[in-house]
Amino acid sequence: MKKLESREDIELLVNSFYKKVIQDETIGFFFKDIIKVNWEKHLPKMYSFWETILFGQMSYKGNPMAVHFPINELQAMEKKHFEQWLSLWKKTIEENFVGENADMAIYKSENIAKLMAYKMEMARKLN
């Protein structure tokens, strides 16, 4: 096990995570069927997102919340979906990394999942 400390580590983490996601029965359909993700565009954005979150490298430009609202309108993104996302993320980290940044990646993801689940639920109630 190694420490999570570079862009290359983030790329390994994100790539390993999304391999799990696309095979997952609970959330994989969002990526394959609902939004039909262009992985060549999506993965580099996720590398930059987590590089910004974990290392303070301001490489991510975007609004993750705004990107998810239109998806939520097509198919409800519910608490169970975010819980599964979080479970797969934690598992991927724990399989590959140890240390402070690995712990921080889990902590930050827990906050992201809670906030996203709440905001998606509120958006559905307002529509």
Side-chain angles (χ1 to χ4, degrees):
M1 297 285 261
K2 67 183 299 289
K3 291 186 176 183
L4 177 57
E5 53 193 3
S6 68
R7 170 86 177 202
E8 291 76 25
D9 293 339
I10 287 174
E11 290 178 14
L12 171 66
L13 171 59
V14 168
N15 291 342
S16 300
F17 168 69
Y18 279 109
K19 284 179 186 172
K20 289 178 176 62
V21 166
I22 59 174
Q23 296 174 4
D24 187 80
E25 292 180 14
T26 304
I27 61 174
F29 74 97
F30 280 104
F31 297 86
K32 294 185 286 190
D33 303 325
I34 305 298
I35 56 175
K36 297 177 177 70
V37 169
N38 176 335
W39 294 105
E40 288 180 17
K41 289 184 179 180
H42 185 67
L43 291 174
K45 284 182 187 176
M46 293 300 93
Y47 306 151
S48 293
F49 176 80
W50 285 105
E51 185 178 43
T52 299
I53 294 288
L54 295 175
F55 304 145
Q57 301 289 330
M58 301 308 285
S59 58
Y60 178 75
K61 306 276 189 272
N63 182 339
M65 200 64 68
V67 171
H68 287 82
F69 285 122
I71 301 165
N72 192 46
E73 290 178 16
L74 295 172
Q75 174 70 46
M77 298 176 80
E78 299 173 347
K79 184 178 178 183
K80 67 181 179 184
H81 298 122
F82 290 101
E83 288 171 347
Q84 182 64 6
W85 173 86
L86 184 58
S87 174
L88 294 172
W89 180 252
K90 286 181 181 179
K91 181 178 181 185
T92 307
I93 292 170
E94 291 166 355
E95 289 171 350
N96 293 283
F97 299 103
V98 294
E100 188 176 323
N101 285 333
D103 294 342
M104 185 58 69
I106 290 173
Y107 173 76
K108 296 279 189 173
S109 67
E110 290 169 339
N111 291 331
I112 291 166
K114 287 177 195 166
L115 182 61
M116 293 281 276
Y118 173 77
K119 291 218 175 198
M120 295 305 123
E121 181 181 351
M122 290 299 104
R124 288 192 307 277
K125 288 182 178 181
L126 293 174
N127 286 338

